[in-house]
Amino acid sequence: MRAVERIGLVVGVFAAVVCAIYWGWTGSTELGVEWVGVMTLLLASLLGFMLAWYTWMTRRRLETDPSDDPLGEVDEIQGEYGFFSPHSWQPLFLAGAASVCFLGLAVGWWLFIIGAVLGVPALIGWTFEYWKGQHAL
């Protein structure tokens, strides 16, 4: 966790310094400050600081993380990664509907509407698939 915390700090400081330089550089032109770039760099700086703050707060609450031990083994960080449905077809249907929606943005709104109509039942099915049937919770 310490490595991620340090990376967040480095990204935050770097983006803040570049933001200040960019603000001064574009402010010296006859067109004035280019605010889109300044705001983008400022938000990138805040994102880096947010990442560092979150990992710092998490590191304070948890025990020693195996990734912080230079002599630690990969096996020490094992644990539950989450719950995954090996039998579910709903993500495939949802991905197909999303593909049709994105294709509809290029082809026409009528195709986007068809993708949305196909996507709603797939999303509902994926959300509620463990409420009934063989794999109900």
Side-chain angles (χ1 to χ4, degrees), residues 8-61:
L9 282 174
V10 167
V11 167
V13 169
F14 175 76
V17 168
V18 172
C19 178
I21 293 170
Y22 189 76
W23 188 358
W25 195 338
T26 59
S28 65
T29 63
E30 55 203 38
L31 298 175
V33 177
E34 198 272 315
W35 289 106
V36 174
V38 171
M39 286 296 129
T40 302
L41 289 167
L42 180 66
L43 290 174
S45 172
L46 292 175
L47 179 68
F49 289 133
M50 182 181 68
L51 176 68
W53 175 79
Y54 175 76
T55 53
W56 174 69
M57 292 294 288
T58 305
R59 183 174 54 85
R60 277 187 23 201
R61 291 187 189 131

Side-chain angles (χ1 to χ4, degrees), residues 72-85:
E73 296 291 327
V74 175
D75 296 347
E76 295 175 9
I77 201 165
Q78 65 186 351
E80 185 175 333
Y81 289 110
F83 176 74
F84 302 98
S85 303

Side-chain angles (χ1 to χ4, degrees), residues 53-135:
W53 175 79
Y54 175 76
T55 53
W56 174 69
M57 292 294 288
T58 305
R59 183 174 54 85
R60 277 187 23 201
R61 291 187 189 131
L62 298 176
E63 299 174 11
T64 303
D65 191 21
S67 64
D68 292 334
D69 184 10
L71 301 175
E73 296 291 327
V74 175
D75 296 347
E76 295 175 9
I77 201 165
Q78 65 186 351
E80 185 175 333
Y81 289 110
F83 176 74
F84 302 98
S85 303
H87 67 277
S88 181
W89 284 83
Q90 299 299 332
L92 180 66
F93 299 144
L94 195 58
S99 300
V100 172
C101 283
F102 284 118
L103 183 63
L105 293 175
V107 174
W109 286 106
W110 60 273
L111 192 57
F112 180 85
I113 293 170
I114 291 172
V117 168
L118 293 173
V120 168
L123 182 61
I124 291 172
W126 197 18
T127 303
F128 296 113
E129 71 182 335
Y130 288 104
W131 284 33
K132 291 184 178 181
Q134 178 185 7
H135 302 287

